[in-house]
Amino acid sequence: MSSLSLENYGIFNSSKNWQLSPEKLQNIIIQNGMGQETKSGVLAVNTGVFTGRSPKDRFIVKDHITENKVWWDEKFNQPFDPKKFDNLYEKVIRYLSGKELYVRDGYLCSDKRYQLNIRSISEYPWSDLFVHNLFLEFQNRKNFTRLVVIMRSRISSSSKNGWNTEKNFTILNFQRKIILICGSGYTGEIKKSIFSVLNFMLPTYKNVFPMHCAANIGKQTKDTALFFGLSGTGKTTISNDSNRKLIGDDEHGWTYDDIIFNFEGGCYAKILGISKEREPMIYHAIKKGAMLENVVFKKGTKEVDFFNDSITQNMRISYPIYFIKNIEKKLLSSNIRNIFFLTYDAFGVLPPIAKLNKEQSSYYFLLGYTSKVAGTELNIKKPQATFSSCFGAPFMPLHPVTYTKMLIEKLKNPKINVWMVNTGLISGGETLGFRIKLKDTRKLVQCALDGCLSRVHYERYPIFNFQIPKYCPGISSDILNPKKTWKNKKLYQNQVEKLVNKFIKNFDTYRKYADKNISYEEPKIEH
C-alpha cells in the first residue's frame, strides 16, 4: 500500500490534500470563510470555543509501555483504557472517511540522532498550516516510521463512552503511535501533545533531558542560555534578543554530550499588547505565511487591534522560525553557561533576579512556581499563583523527580549559573503592586549573560536565602530587594509567609521521592 495512502489508518474514500503550500492553505481558508486577511495579507483565524489548552482533558493510554513508567497523578496524566481508545478511534476514522482532509509529513528534533517523524491528518486547513509553521520540513516522505496525529475538530464526546470529559479530548497512545485530538480547534493542543510524547520518549529511551524552555546563543561568545517558564512568563519575548541568535522559543532537548537542540521548526507566540518597540523581532514575524489566532480587527478596518482581548487574552501567532532573522540556522548549540527560571510572582515578594545554588535550583525547578496568566487555559481571567513541576507539569508524563535528577546531573558543571527571574509583580502584591517593566527584565538578563552580575556585591534575601545583587547597571537599586519597595512591612511579611507555606505544602507532594533521590534547599520562615 502506498505510503501516501490513509487506508492503513482505516480512513477510506477521503479527498486528500498533501503537503499544501501556505499560500494554497490560506486561499482555501479564505474561500471557505474560515478566516480573514489583515491589511498586510496575514491570515487570521478564530479557533472557536476553545482559545486555550484544556489540560484536564488530556489522557494517556495505560498499557504495557506506560503502566510502570508514567506518573499517574490523575490531574494531567490520566489513564485511558486501550479498548476504549480502539472504540473511539474507530468512531473518529468513520467520521473522517469520505471527508476532505489535510495531510502533512514533517519531523521534530533538529538533532538528527533523535528525529521523530510525524504525519498529521487534519479536518481543518488551519490546523495543517499550523503544523507547517511549527514542524521541521521532511524532504523524503517515502516509507518512514512515524507518529500519527489525527485531528477531528467537530466531535463532541459523550458520557456514554464511559469516561468523563466535556467537549474535547486529547489521547496519547504510545503502543499504536497515535495521538487523537478531537473537539477543539485550538492549535496549541497539537503542539503540546507532541511535546508530551517527546517528554516521555527522550528520557526513557535516549537519555535526553527534555525541557520546556527557550534557548539562545551569543553571537560572539557562543555561550548558550536557557529560559524555563510557562506561557505568559516571557520565554518567547526575552529569548528573542537582538544581541543573540535564537535557537528556539519553547521546547528543547539537552543531550548526554551537552548539545542543546530545538524540538520544533517554528514559534507560537502570545501577542497581546505587542508593538514594534517592545518586541521588534516577533512583531516583524507578523507577515504573510504566519497565522494569527483569535485577534480582533479595529472597527471598520483590516488592521489588528493587539490590545483588544474581547475574544481572549491568549491571542497567538504561529510562524516558521526562519521568519526571525536572528536565528541559529542549525537550531542547536553547546557551551551552556546560564539558566533562567522565569516566574510570574502574583504575591510581589520575589526579587527581579536572584542567583540560585544547586540545591535551590533543584527545589524551585521541581516546584515550578509561577502564576497562570489570563487566557492560556480555560477560565483563567487573572493571574493565579500555581505550581507546575519542571515549569511544564501538563506536558510531563514521567515523575517530576525524574526530570529534576537529570537537571541536577547537568548542574555538576561548575561553569553553569542558575538564576530566578521574576517577570511578574513587584511591590504591593496583586492589588497594590505593578508588573516589572520588560526593559528592566531585559537589562537584568543581559547583565547576567555578559558577566556584569558576577562583578557586583550580593546580599542574602531572608527566608528564601537567595543571593540578590545590590547593584545592577541601568536598574534602580530600589527594586532589586522587594522588601524595600513595600510601604506596609507587615503586609509584606504576611505575603512572604503565605507564599513560603504554599511552597512547603506543594513540595510535600514530592517529598518522599525527593528525599531519596535529590538534594534540595527549602525556604524557612524566620521568627
Side-chain angles (χ1 to χ4, degrees):
M1 186 175 291
S2 169
S3 64
L4 300 183
S5 172
L6 298 185
E7 292 183 5
N8 52 327
Y9 308 121
I11 301 173
F12 297 92
N13 304 316
S14 60
S15 174
K16 300 178 287 294
N17 296 283
W18 292 89
Q19 305 289 114
L20 294 187
S21 68
E23 294 78 14
K24 286 184 178 180
L25 286 169
Q26 182 160 329
N27 288 337
I28 290 169
I29 292 166
I30 297 298
Q31 290 168 7
N32 285 278
M34 293 177 153
Q36 303 179 66
E37 288 184 348
T38 69
K39 67 176 185 179
S40 57
V42 183
L43 177 66
V45 301
N46 188 312
T47 61
V49 175
F50 292 93
T51 58
R53 289 180 295 102
S54 185
K56 293 180 181 179
D57 294 316
R58 194 204 71 171
F59 303 85
I60 300 175
V61 172
K62 190 172 186 179
D63 54 27
H64 71 278
I65 294 176
T66 59
E67 182 175 9
N68 297 319
K69 293 184 177 70
V70 169
W71 187 45
W72 305 106
D73 65 345
E74 298 182 357
K75 186 176 182 182
F76 300 121
N77 299 322
Q78 302 174 82
F80 201 85
D81 181 78
K83 291 183 179 179
K84 290 180 179 179
F85 177 87
D86 292 343
N87 292 335
L88 189 58
Y89 179 82
E90 291 299 320
K91 179 180 178 181
V92 171
I93 60 174
R94 280 198 305 270
Y95 171 84
L96 293 176
S97 292
K99 299 288 192 303
E100 183 170 13
L101 301 176
Y102 301 85
V103 186
R104 185 168 302 276
D105 291 338
Y107 71 92
L108 297 170
C109 300
S110 59
D111 188 329
K112 296 296 182 65
R113 294 175 295 176
Y114 310 104
Q115 179 174 316
L116 176 66
N117 299 323
I118 302 285
R119 171 165 291 170
S120 65
I121 304 169
S122 311
E123 182 181 11
Y124 284 170
W126 80 62
S127 300
D128 192 46
L129 181 56
F130 178 84
V131 171
H132 170 274
N133 287 349
L134 265 289
F135 293 2
L136 294 157
E137 188 173 359
F138 192 80
Q139 300 298 329
N140 182 7
R141 303 197 305 270
K142 187 177 180 181
N143 296 325
F144 65 98
T145 303
R146 62 184 72 84
L147 175 74
V148 179
V149 185
I150 299 176
M151 290 161 275
R152 176 184 172 185
S153 300
R154 294 191 181 100
I155 192 171
S156 291
S157 62
S158 169
S159 59
K160 293 179 181 179
N161 290 322
W163 47 285
N164 182 30
T165 185
E166 293 180 358
K167 297 179 180 177
N168 68 308
F169 56 86
T170 298
I171 309 175
L172 316 182
N173 190 322
F174 286 94
Q175 183 176 1
R176 295 189 61 176
K177 296 183 174 65
I178 294 172
I179 299 174
L180 282 183
I181 303 174
C182 299
S184 173
Y186 178 65
T187 58
E189 297 286 7
I190 306 169
K191 173 183 170 70
K192 293 307 184 186
S193 64
I194 297 174
F195 186 36
S196 298
V197 168
L198 289 168
N199 290 339
F200 177 83
M201 294 175 62
L202 290 176
T204 302
Y205 302 113
K206 302 293 185 179
N207 192 28
V208 171
F209 174 34
M211 304 173 292
H212 188 210
C213 72
N216 63 27
I217 184 171
K219 290 181 178 179
Q220 303 299 326
T221 56
K222 303 300 181 184
D223 64 298
T224 298
L226 306 178
F227 302 83
F228 287 85
L230 292 179
S231 297
T233 56
K235 284 196 317 300
T236 298
T237 299
I238 296 170
S239 60
N240 278 268
D241 183 337
S242 60
N243 297 312
R244 301 173 66 84
K245 291 185 176 182
L246 182 70
I247 302 164
D249 76 332
D250 195 44
E251 303 170 2
H252 292 81
W254 189 340
T255 69
Y256 70 93
D257 51 353
D258 289 332
I259 299 296
I260 300 296
F261 65 93
N262 193 348
F263 289 170
E264 303 173 306
C267 301
Y268 190 47
K270 288 192 72 175
I271 50 173
L272 177 64
I274 194 172
S275 66
K276 184 164 57 177
E277 294 70 32
R278 281 172 50 87
E279 300 172 87
M281 294 171 68
I282 300 173
Y283 186 86
H284 288 300
I286 307 174
K287 58 186 179 181
K288 196 159 188 175
M291 185 172 71
L292 297 161
E293 292 183 15
N294 303 313
V295 298
V296 178
F297 292 136
K298 294 180 180 178
K299 191 173 181 179
T301 75
K302 290 294 183 181
E303 181 181 355
V304 176
D305 184 349
F306 291 110
F307 293 88
N308 188 330
D309 61 358
S310 58
I311 295 178
T312 179
Q313 292 192 351
N314 192 35
M315 61 177 71
R316 294 268 182 173
I317 184 172
S318 64
Y319 51 86
I321 197 167
Y322 57 79
F323 276 28
I324 299 289
K325 294 181 180 179
N326 202 29
I327 64 167
E328 173 57 44
K329 292 183 179 179
K330 293 182 179 179
L331 303 185
L332 47 79
S333 67
S334 57
N335 192 29
I336 302 92
R337 287 294 175 266
N338 288 281
I339 298 174
F340 298 90
F341 294 162
L342 306 179
T343 181
Y344 185 113
D345 177 28
F347 288 82
V349 297
L350 290 183
I353 193 166
K355 192 170 186 180
L356 309 184
N357 60 35
K358 188 165 70 172
E359 290 72 25
Q360 291 169 340
S361 300
S362 67
Y363 183 83
Y364 290 103
F365 177 76
L366 181 56
L367 280 182
Y369 166 66
T370 187
S371 297
K372 290 181 181 178
V373 178
T376 54
E377 291 184 16
L378 295 177
N379 302 318
I380 302 297
K381 304 300 182 184
K382 63 180 181 179
Q384 295 181 7
T386 189
F387 293 83
S388 186
S389 57
C390 311
F391 294 96
F395 331 120
M396 303 293 176
L398 305 180
H399 195 287
V401 170
T402 301
Y403 303 107
T404 306
K405 287 174 66 176
M406 299 186 86
L407 173 66
I408 292 173
E409 185 65 25
K410 299 300 186 184
L411 293 184
K412 288 181 179 179
N413 182 346
K415 295 181 180 179
I416 298 176
N417 298 306
V418 182
W419 310 85
M420 178 181 285
V421 175
N422 175 18
T423 64
L425 304 183
I426 55 174
S427 177
E430 182 182 331
T431 55
L432 301 175
F434 53 90
R435 188 169 189 179
I436 187 171
K437 294 178 181 178
L438 176 60
K439 68 178 183 65
D440 288 342
T441 297
R442 286 191 185 278
K443 184 64 178 178
L444 288 165
V445 169
Q446 177 189 333
C447 287
L449 290 169
D450 65 17
C452 176
L453 289 186
S454 67
R455 300 187 292 271
V456 301
H457 294 291
Y458 284 76
E459 62 180 324
R460 185 181 74 90
Y461 190 50
I463 299 178
F464 299 97
N465 291 320
F466 303 141
Q467 292 296 311
I468 60 175
K470 290 184 175 181
Y471 168 76
C472 179
I475 298 292
S476 170
S477 296
D478 292 339
I479 70 169
L480 293 177
N481 187 329
K483 186 174 182 178
K484 296 177 181 179
T485 67
W486 282 67
K487 294 181 179 179
N488 188 327
K489 302 302 183 186
K490 185 176 180 179
L491 181 58
Y492 162 81
Q493 188 64 27
N494 288 340
Q495 289 292 89
V496 168
E497 293 185 9
K498 187 184 295 184
L499 181 57
V500 169
N501 285 330
K502 282 183 176 290
F503 283 169
I504 294 170
K505 180 180 178 181
N506 278 273
F507 195 79
D508 285 343
T509 304
Y510 317 110
R511 194 173 301 277
K512 68 176 181 179
Y513 302 98
D515 287 345
K516 296 177 182 178
N517 291 280
I518 63 173
S519 57
Y520 58 88
E521 181 179 328
E522 194 165 37
K524 296 180 180 178
I525 297 174
E526 301 169 353
H527 295 289

